[in-house]
Amino acid sequence: MGDSSDSRERRDGRPLGEFDLIDRFFGRAARAGRTEGGAVALGIGDDCALLTPSAGHQWLVTADMLVEGRHFLSTVSPRRLGHKALAVNLSDLAACGATPRAFFLSLALPRVDEAFLAGFAQGLFELADAQGIVLAGGDTTAGPLNLNITAMGEVPAGQALLRSGARVDDDVWVSGTLGDARLALEVFRGTLSLSATQFEEVRLRMEMPEPRVALGKALRGLATSAVDVSDGLAGDIGHVLKRSNVGATLRLADLPRSAVLGAMPEELQRLCLLTGGDDYELVFTAPPDARQRVLEAGRAAGTPVYRIGRIDEAPGLRVVDGMGRPVQDVPQSFDHFKS
Amino acid sequence: MGDSSDSRERRDGRPLGEFDLIDRFFGRAARAGRTEGGAVALGIGDDCALLTPSAGHQWLVTADMLVEGRHFLSTVSPRRLGHKALAVNLSDLAACGATPRAFFLSLALPRVDEAFLAGFAQGLFELADAQGIVLAGGDTTAGPLNLNITAMGEVPAGQALLRSGARVDDDVWVSGTLGDARLALEVFRGTLSLSATQFEEVRLRMEMPEPRVALGKALRGLATSAVDVSDGLAGDIGHVLKRSNVGATLRLADLPRSAVLGAMPEELQRLCLLTGGDDYELVFTAPPDARQRVLEAGRAAGTPVYRIGRIDEAPGLRVVDGMGRPVQDVPQSFDHFKS
């Protein structure tokens, strides 16, 4: 950025600095986006962003911090990274049934890298626009690469989907397919090889997760609990079971998987399905008499949903095979300070 | 944390991981704090935090990311760092006249360091409790040390203090004193030495800034614009002037300073007062006929306030000395990608 041939260099000869940087790549946010219902009255450019809540609604807020080598690889394209940084937050909002409204981006960058920022902003805003969420503020600083997004959404008061509502005999459902992102990670790790086509398919799942926002909204008043699968199915459903004071039995054969994953050895499939992480599908519970409506909600949201098990009284998670026999050694979930 | 003598080690023998970590140091947030007016209905432990807005209010949201060596030195005590990480966000809320409600903490840590976390949490919660703001969620991950806080507050609709409201002939005011934090930084940099007592005094200003929350609230309906001094007076008032389409003339002699700074050479004083940064005082404007009420607001908030200049029509910032002569070379503000 110190390159004096840069046509955007400030007229006073100083290199582009923090304020120019914000303005240049993220300044469009200043044009105070107005989203359906809730409104961002004032975006970037003041000490705070000013948000006007919709009458009769509650806010849902989530934060995710992404670090290179842990949440994304250095090989990811900036555009996909911009998508993913927002997608993982939207996935949390989706798990609560929220309508996305506004987000705040904090970026630490080792240096001002225009190509990186341009790509990152492109991926970020493409997803933001598609989901009707507005960049309303944030922070930029020099430092080891770090991306933090805090995202906010709204639900009509009392209608948020929580982890604590699962009841005995509820069905357990999951959206989409599980495990592809983990498969891609194993290829990057060199423990596995796939054809170029297969790799591109699962890599897309890892790098461009699709947050299930429409499904989350369609499940309001229908699902008794929900969680998004970020650390792996076994671990994430574990939070629901603990908070709801129940247990669950999942049928391994019913866990939805892509054709690519379905062609892998059984043990690898099990690992990817149960502990894969980075799936960003929704796992949720609903009473058996709501089955038809759940399927309709999935259709309305354009997201396939599958019944994969049942909530029972005995605490803990059980997984059974096609013969109803318990699967031993259900792997644990991914933990950022353990792996 | 892998020390097997740790009595809090999980019974399954695995070391404490991410979820335990959150629970142990920040879990008190899960006891869903209820603050005056607005409420956090559900804190840490779900995909999102659930916040209930107060009727007729707007939300103000700000984010600040802190990186070692840039926003704090490795020598700072964890407790003071916990204080400061929240204080800089509260200062942004204060500049908008907001009542603090909830904040979200994202932490990247090179390793699980219990002493660090215990001290950090102590400083964080001491300030949070004093200001009535609740930790409602966040994220933790392994990675180069990085602290991001996104903080939210409320104001009655339409009463937020903005940068855009300064009018010609308004007085310019500032709270407290300016420049001490910069003085401390210069000692750390080795360009200056102070007595132990003096150093401890200015170091406290650098490491334990006191956000002017009560003053910000007292200025609702009174100040025409406000900004907090984080990057230095000259730069921060510059944002107000630009957004308000006005200029200003400040009287150097009227800029409030501590006894320690007042004993320094003129040139150093000027540098610290105008571009010091890390002051976290409020600079605000108000019409001349509001002088008495502004002084009363300061008294009510327990924060001294001083008139330091006037808003005028000609764009830009002018600083004059005791004889009314222009001070040349008003230094620029600190910029994270330039210094």
Side-chain angles (χ1 to χ4, degrees):
Chain A
M1 297 295 284
D3 177 3
S4 64
S5 70
D6 182 344
S7 64
R8 301 206 195 206
E9 188 175 331
R10 294 165 61 119
R11 256 170 292 166
D12 60 9
R14 290 194 299 131
L16 283 164
E18 184 181 9
F19 300 115
D20 313 84
L21 176 71
I22 296 170
D23 212 49
R24 187 151 154 211
F25 291 105
F26 304 110
R28 48 162 275 178
R31 294 189 291 281
R34 205 160 261 281
T35 58
E36 167 212 337
V40 177
L42 184 74
I44 287 171
D46 215 292
D47 292 278
C48 298
L50 184 62
L51 309 181
T52 305
S54 307
H57 282 60
Q58 290 176 300
W59 285 99
L60 291 155
V61 189
T62 182
D64 277 288
M65 181 171 265
L66 274 64
V67 173
E68 185 174 316
R70 195 151 281 274
H71 303 94
F72 59 92
L73 302 175
S74 57
T75 47
V76 70
S77 80
R79 183 174 165 195
R80 288 186 177 186
L81 183 58
H83 174 101
K84 186 164 179 176
L86 181 57
V88 301
N89 282 280
L90 286 169
S91 183
D92 283 320
L93 292 180
C96 291
T99 304
R101 292 295 185 213
F103 70 103
F104 297 80
L105 167 69
S106 295
L107 259 183
L109 297 170
R111 63 202 164 85
V112 178
D113 176 336
E114 294 192 61
F116 173 86
L117 284 167
F120 182 85
Q122 188 189 355
L124 186 80
F125 285 124
E126 280 169 356
L127 180 59
D129 291 347
Q131 295 288 356
I133 191 167
V134 174
L135 175 63
D139 197 10
T140 52
T141 180
L145 186 57
N146 185 302
L147 315 167
N148 187 80
I149 287 181
T150 304
M152 307 173 57
E154 285 185 311
V155 283
Q159 290 193 31
L161 305 178
L162 304 177
R163 294 178 177 179
S164 53
R167 289 168 301 196
V168 173
D169 292 333
D170 276 356
D171 294 318
V172 179
W173 297 78
V174 70
S175 63
T177 61
L178 298 168
D180 278 358
R182 177 59 175 268
L183 214 48
L185 182 62
E186 294 301 328
V187 174
F188 277 112
R189 283 175 170 169
T191 67
L192 186 74
S193 56
L194 293 177
S195 75
T197 321
Q198 288 179 319
F199 178 52
E200 199 37 56
E201 189 182 325
V202 295
R203 181 182 187 171
L204 206 61
R205 288 299 308 268
M206 178 173 118
E207 296 182 343
M208 295 277 283
E210 198 182 318
R212 302 302 193 183
V213 174
L215 178 63
K217 288 167 67 177
L219 291 174
R220 284 179 195 163
L222 196 53
T224 51
S225 75
V227 68
D228 76 319
V229 185
S230 52
D231 294 328
L233 176 62
D236 288 320
I237 199 174
H239 301 310
V240 169
L241 303 183
K242 199 174 163 189
R243 297 232 145 217
S244 300
N245 258 315
V246 293
T249 303
L250 302 185
R251 299 176 300 268
L252 188 57
D254 290 346
L255 300 183
R257 66 206 79 183
S258 69
V260 179
L261 181 57
M264 297 291 132
E266 283 293 338
E267 201 180 347
L268 179 61
Q269 286 193 44
R270 190 187 309 170
L271 179 82
C272 292
L273 290 167
L274 290 171
T275 69
D278 259 5
D279 294 307
Y280 303 105
E281 297 294 350
L282 297 188
V283 178
F284 56 95
T285 56
D289 63 14
R291 281 178 194 169
Q292 202 48 46
R293 283 180 296 151
V294 169
L295 289 170
E296 280 157 20
R299 265 194 298 273
T303 308
V305 291
Y306 305 94
R307 269 194 303 127
I308 59 170
R310 207 175 58 173
I311 296 295
D312 23 56
E313 218 159 318
L317 176 66
R318 289 156 294 282
V319 181
V320 295
D321 66 15
M323 313 292 287
R325 290 173 307 211
V327 172
Q328 303 301 324
D329 296 326
V330 174
Q332 300 290 329
S333 87
F334 184 81
D335 187 315
H336 293 302
F337 281 105
K338 281 173 196 150
S339 63
Chain B
M1 296 294 283
D3 177 3
S4 64
S5 69
D6 180 347
S7 64
R8 303 206 193 202
E9 188 175 334
R10 293 166 61 119
R11 254 169 293 168
D12 60 9
R14 289 194 300 132
L16 284 164
E18 183 181 10
F19 300 116
D20 312 86
L21 176 70
I22 296 171
D23 212 48
R24 184 149 157 214
F25 291 104
F26 304 109
R28 49 161 274 178
R31 295 190 291 282
R34 205 161 261 279
T35 59
E36 166 214 335
V40 177
L42 184 75
I44 287 171
D46 214 291
D47 292 278
C48 296
L50 185 62
L51 309 181
T52 305
S54 307
H57 282 60
Q58 290 177 299
W59 285 100
L60 291 156
V61 189
T62 182
D64 276 289
M65 179 171 268
L66 273 64
V67 172
E68 185 172 316
R70 197 151 278 274
H71 302 94
F72 59 92
L73 302 175
S74 57
T75 49
V76 70
S77 80
R79 184 173 164 196
R80 289 187 176 185
L81 183 59
H83 174 100
K84 184 162 179 175
L86 181 57
V88 300
N89 282 280
L90 286 170
S91 183
D92 283 319
L93 292 180
C96 291
T99 304
R101 293 296 185 210
F103 70 102
F104 297 80
L105 167 70
S106 295
L107 259 182
L109 297 170
R111 64 205 161 83
V112 178
D113 176 337
E114 293 192 62
F116 173 86
L117 283 167
F120 182 85
Q122 188 189 355
L124 186 80
F125 285 123
E126 279 167 355
L127 180 60
D129 291 348
Q131 295 288 355
I133 191 168
V134 174
L135 176 62
D139 197 11
T140 53
T141 180
L145 186 56
N146 186 302
L147 317 167
N148 186 79
I149 288 181
T150 305
M152 306 173 57
E154 285 184 312
V155 283
Q159 290 192 31
L161 305 178
L162 305 178
R163 294 178 177 180
S164 52
R167 288 169 301 196
V168 172
D169 292 331
D170 276 356
D171 293 319
V172 179
W173 297 78
V174 72
S175 64
T177 60
L178 298 169
D180 278 0
R182 177 58 176 271
L183 213 49
L185 182 62
E186 294 301 328
V187 175
F188 277 113
R189 284 176 172 168
T191 67
L192 186 74
S193 58
L194 293 177
S195 75
T197 322
Q198 288 179 319
F199 178 52
E200 198 38 56
E201 189 182 324
V202 295
R203 181 182 186 169
L204 206 61
R205 289 298 309 267
M206 179 175 116
E207 295 181 346
M208 294 276 282
E210 198 184 318
R212 302 302 191 184
V213 174
L215 178 63
K217 287 166 68 175
L219 291 174
R220 286 180 195 161
L222 196 52
T224 50
S225 74
V227 67
D228 76 320
V229 185
S230 53
D231 293 328
L233 176 62
D236 288 320
I237 199 175
H239 300 312
V240 169
L241 303 183
K242 200 175 162 189
R243 296 231 146 218
S244 300
N245 259 313
V246 294
T249 303
L250 303 185
R251 299 176 298 269
L252 188 58
D254 290 347
L255 299 183
R257 65 206 79 182
S258 69
V260 179
L261 181 57
M264 296 292 131
E266 283 293 337
E267 202 180 348
L268 180 60
Q269 286 193 44
R270 190 188 309 170
L271 179 82
C272 292
L273 290 168
L274 290 170
T275 68
D278 259 6
D279 295 305
Y280 303 105
E281 297 294 351
L282 297 188
V283 178
F284 57 97
T285 56
D289 63 15
R291 281 177 194 168
Q292 202 48 48
R293 282 181 294 152
V294 169
L295 290 169
E296 281 157 19
R299 266 194 298 273
T303 308
V305 292
Y306 306 94
R307 268 193 303 128
I308 59 169
R310 209 176 56 173
I311 296 294
D312 22 56
E313 217 161 315
L317 175 66
R318 288 157 294 281
V319 181
V320 295
D321 66 15
M323 315 289 289
R325 289 173 308 209
V327 172
Q328 302 303 324
D329 296 327
V330 175
Q332 299 290 330
S333 85
F334 184 79
D335 187 314
H336 294 302
F337 280 104
K338 280 173 199 152
S339 64

